[in-house]
Each structure stands twice: as C-alpha cells, then as structure tokens.
Amino acid sequence: MILYTVIPCYNEELVLPETIKVMREKYAFLMERGLIEKKSRVLFVDDGSSDKTWDIIRKTHEEDKIFCGLKLSRNRGHQNALLAGLMEAKEHCDAAVSVDADLQDDIDAIDKMIEKYNDGCEIVYGVRNKRSTDKFMKRFTAEVYYRVMEFFGTHIIFNHADYRLMSRRAIEALADFDEVNLFLRGIVPMLGFKSDKVYYERRERFAGESKYSLAKMLDLAWNGITSFSVKPVDIILFAGVLTAGISVLAMLVMAVLALCGVLEGAAGWVIASVFLCTGINLTALGIVGQYVCRTYLETKHRPKYIVEEKID
C-alpha cells in the first residue's frame, strides 16, 4: 500500500528535526517489512508559520524525497491545514494517517493501524488509553469537553483527537463535505465506513509549546457543537417556555395575594420576573444568532485554504 502521513505544522521549528528523524526511521521500518511501498510519503503542511518551519521542510525534501510539503498562504487553523494535506494525499495514496508534529502521539501505533486497514477497515482511530501525561486542569477540561459534546448530541470518539488512518475512499467521501466551519472529529465518524480503534500511550511534548491555546480549544468545542447539534436551541426554547410559564403563574399568585392584602410590594417581584424573562430572551437570541452567523459563513463558499507553494 502507498501510505501518506499528513502532519500539520504551525511554528514547529523546534520539534521538526526530531519529528523528521522519527518519521524517517518509521517509514524505513515499514518499508523493510513490506507493509508500505516506496512511493509512500510524509507530507508536512505549513499552516502559515512565521518561523523557519517551511525552510526546514524544503531542506529536508532536498535531502530525502520521502518528505514533501504544502505551504498555505496564511494561517488557516489546524483543521483546515489537515484537510489541505488530506486532499493532496488522496491523489497519490491508498491510505493516509494524520498526526500532529509534536511527537506526543505514539508513531508505533501506525503499525496497528495498517493491520486494521489490511483487515478491511476504512478508518482507524488512534485513541488515548489514559491521560497521565496531562496536568490536572488539562485532564479535567478534556473530560468535560467530551462529556459536553456527547450531551449536545455531537458524536465523537472519546479521547480521540485527529490521529487516525483513513483509506483513499474515506478521504474522497470527506471531500464531499463542503463545510466552512470544519470539525473533522465530528465529520469523520459520519462517513459510515467500517472502522476500528487502536489504543496508545500519549507522550510528553518533545519541544516547544502547544499551539492550541484555551481560546482555540473553546472555539473548536463550540464549533463542534454548533456544526453538529441543534440541541442548544432546543434547550433554550424549553428553558424559555418553562420560565415564561413559571413567571406567569408567579405573577398571578402575587396578584391574588396582593388583592387579599397578604403580600405587599408585589411590583418588585413583577419587575424581577420581567428582567429574568428579558435575560433569557437575550440569551436565546444570542444562541440563535450563532447559528445564523454560521449559516451566513457557509453561504459564502470561500476557499478553506490557499496553497502558496508545494514540493513533492
């Protein structure tokens, strides 16, 4: 089989030399055992880096043709960079593995992914079997993230990020999803092909710092919810109807008590109820507005990425 490994990169000059070394050894091992053909490649996607990432990729290609690269015209985000690499790989490969450049995902899991692929699986998910290398806050927020996504009806693989193998047929099916707000962790399970999981230990980052800030992680989570679920709207609708009903009953009770002389100052409670209802209405409008904005972005059909340079 011809295997492409797609590695999105954003300002990864510190870790790339080690990543290249590890991938060269892994590909040599797989080729020696006849698991992959010599036409297999490692495809780096430079997501508009401002450091020497692209220079390293270009120099590495000149030294070893097993490495190739795409340079995006500007930073488009991890999901778009990954998609760009997969769309390029599908023209040449039988299957493609996507993995981050930081060496935290166990590269040896690729061997098991290939075995699953040879057994007929079109998609093989790399799943962390524990989070012992994460700090408490990172571990806690990750657990909450997966639980919240599940609650809102977004089907994703628990403890799976973007480390996976996809057959060429699966990637071609992915190409039919013409969405601007990309959330590949939610889209890939929707493809419906035969799939399986490979479990691995996640390691410490080799060098540099994670490019996924808290703001980016929250944005990714919100993107996943609003792209795949209308449950927030359902919850707001239910909360609005329930609160409005309770407010009406409360005002009626207060009016009766006031008429009977049991309750004084009922006007304050009425005003409070009005403010409560107003707050819920504004929240509801904000949630609906998010969906309207995303619909607006989808109708633009702007390109998800622009390739500035390619070396193959």
Side-chain angles (χ1 to χ4, degrees), residues 179-212:
E179 300 184 20
V180 173
N181 300 292
L182 273 181
F183 186 65
L184 295 177
R185 301 177 195 182
I187 294 176
V188 173
M190 293 177 62
L191 299 180
F193 295 109
K194 181 181 178 182
S195 63
D196 206 339
K197 301 173 184 176
V198 167
Y199 294 89
Y200 67 95
E201 300 281 347
R202 188 167 170 86
R203 303 166 179 170
E204 296 284 352
R205 185 179 174 89
F206 175 76
E209 298 179 352
S210 173
K211 305 307 182 294
Y212 254 106

Side-chain angles (χ1 to χ4, degrees), residues 3 11 13 16 20 22 40 45 109 111 118 136 142 183 224 227 234 240 244 257 267 270 272 283 286 291 296:
L3 178 71
N11 293 339
E13 64 176 350
L16 264 184
I20 291 166
V22 170
S40 299
V45 183
D111 302 37
N118 290 333
F136 170 77
F183 186 65
S227 295
D234 295 336
L257 293 176
V270 174
T283 302
Y291 282 91
Y296 168 67

Side-chain angles (χ1 to χ4, degrees), residues 149 151-154 222-238 287-288 291 295:
M149 295 296 284
F151 172 78
F152 280 112
T154 302
W222 181 245
N223 193 32
I225 292 171
T226 55
S227 295
F228 290 88
S229 175
V230 296
K231 198 166 185 178
V233 176
D234 295 336
I235 292 173
I236 291 297
L237 177 60
F238 175 77
I287 296 291
V288 174
Y291 282 91
T295 302

Side-chain angles (χ1 to χ4, degrees), residues 50-232:
S50 57
D51 61 2
K52 297 180 180 179
T53 293
W54 183 246
D55 294 333
I56 295 173
I57 294 172
R58 182 189 290 113
K59 182 179 179 182
T60 302
H61 171 73
E62 293 172 354
E63 297 172 350
D64 190 344
K65 301 304 180 184
I66 197 175
F67 296 99
C68 51
L70 285 180
K71 177 177 174 58
L72 304 188
S73 60
R74 69 180 182 90
N75 180 248
R76 293 294 299 161
H78 179 273
Q79 297 290 280
N80 284 314
L82 178 53
L83 182 69
L86 291 173
M87 293 304 103
E88 173 66 22
K90 75 180 176 63
E91 303 298 329
H92 312 281
C93 72
D94 295 313
V97 170
S98 57
V99 64
D100 290 339
D102 55 19
L103 294 178
Q104 288 188 274
D105 296 317
D106 185 7
I107 299 300
D108 290 335
I110 293 177
D111 302 37
K112 296 179 181 179
M113 290 182 179
I114 293 175
E115 290 180 11
K116 301 284 188 182
Y117 169 80
N118 290 333
D119 289 338
C121 290
E122 303 273 0
I123 302 170
V124 184
Y125 300 100
V127 179
R128 298 175 62 170
N129 52 21
K130 61 181 179 179
R131 289 182 169 269
S132 58
T133 59
D134 288 344
K135 295 180 180 179
F136 170 77
M137 185 55 64
K138 172 68 174 178
R139 193 162 57 244
F140 174 75
T141 54
E143 293 287 337
V144 171
Y145 166 78
Y146 285 106
R147 300 303 181 189
V148 169
M149 295 296 284
E150 182 180 354
F151 172 78
F152 280 112
T154 302
H155 177 60
I156 58 176
I157 307 300
F158 189 76
N159 271 345
H160 164 72
D162 287 296
Y163 186 23
R164 69 179 75 88
L165 178 147
M166 298 179 67
S167 69
R168 179 172 181 173
R169 186 167 69 147
I171 299 173
E172 289 174 343
L174 176 63
D176 292 333
F177 284 74
D178 191 27
E179 300 184 20
V180 173
N181 300 292
L182 273 181
F183 186 65
L184 295 177
R185 301 177 195 182
I187 294 176
V188 173
M190 293 177 62
L191 299 180
F193 295 109
K194 181 181 178 182
S195 63
D196 206 339
K197 301 173 184 176
V198 167
Y199 294 89
Y200 67 95
E201 300 281 347
R202 188 167 170 86
R203 303 166 179 170
E204 296 284 352
R205 185 179 174 89
F206 175 76
E209 298 179 352
S210 173
K211 305 307 182 294
Y212 254 106
S213 63
L214 177 60
K216 287 185 176 180
M217 291 179 65
L218 291 174
D219 181 66
L220 181 65
W222 181 245
N223 193 32
I225 292 171
T226 55
S227 295
F228 290 88
S229 175
V230 296
K231 198 166 185 178

